Amino acid sequence: MERTKTNTGIWWLIFLASTAALGLAIAFHWEYLTLILPIFCTAFVKALDII
């Protein structure tokens, strides 16, 4: 089965933005830190084109 090349650039941008948000949430002790984790993980997996 042949795989087509997909554009993952937007997912890398979302991943980098959520990484920055996660770092800020940790630094400033934000109570809703765990709300960033699903976006962070999903963007990473989509950027690597795993799913």
Side-chain angles (χ1 to χ4, degrees):
M1 183 166 62
E2 195 173 314
R3 279 188 87 159
T4 60
K5 175 113 172 89
T6 58
N7 188 5
T8 59
I10 189 70
W11 288 109
W12 282 112
L13 290 175
I14 294 170
F15 172 70
L16 291 175
S18 64
T19 302
L22 187 62
L24 288 173
I26 291 170
F28 291 115
H29 303 288
W30 191 40
E31 297 86 17
Y32 301 107
L33 165 72
T34 56
L35 294 176
I36 300 170
L37 290 176
I39 298 167
F40 175 77
C41 294
T42 302
F44 182 67
V45 169
K46 294 288 280 183
L48 290 178
D49 200 24
I50 293 173
I51 58 172

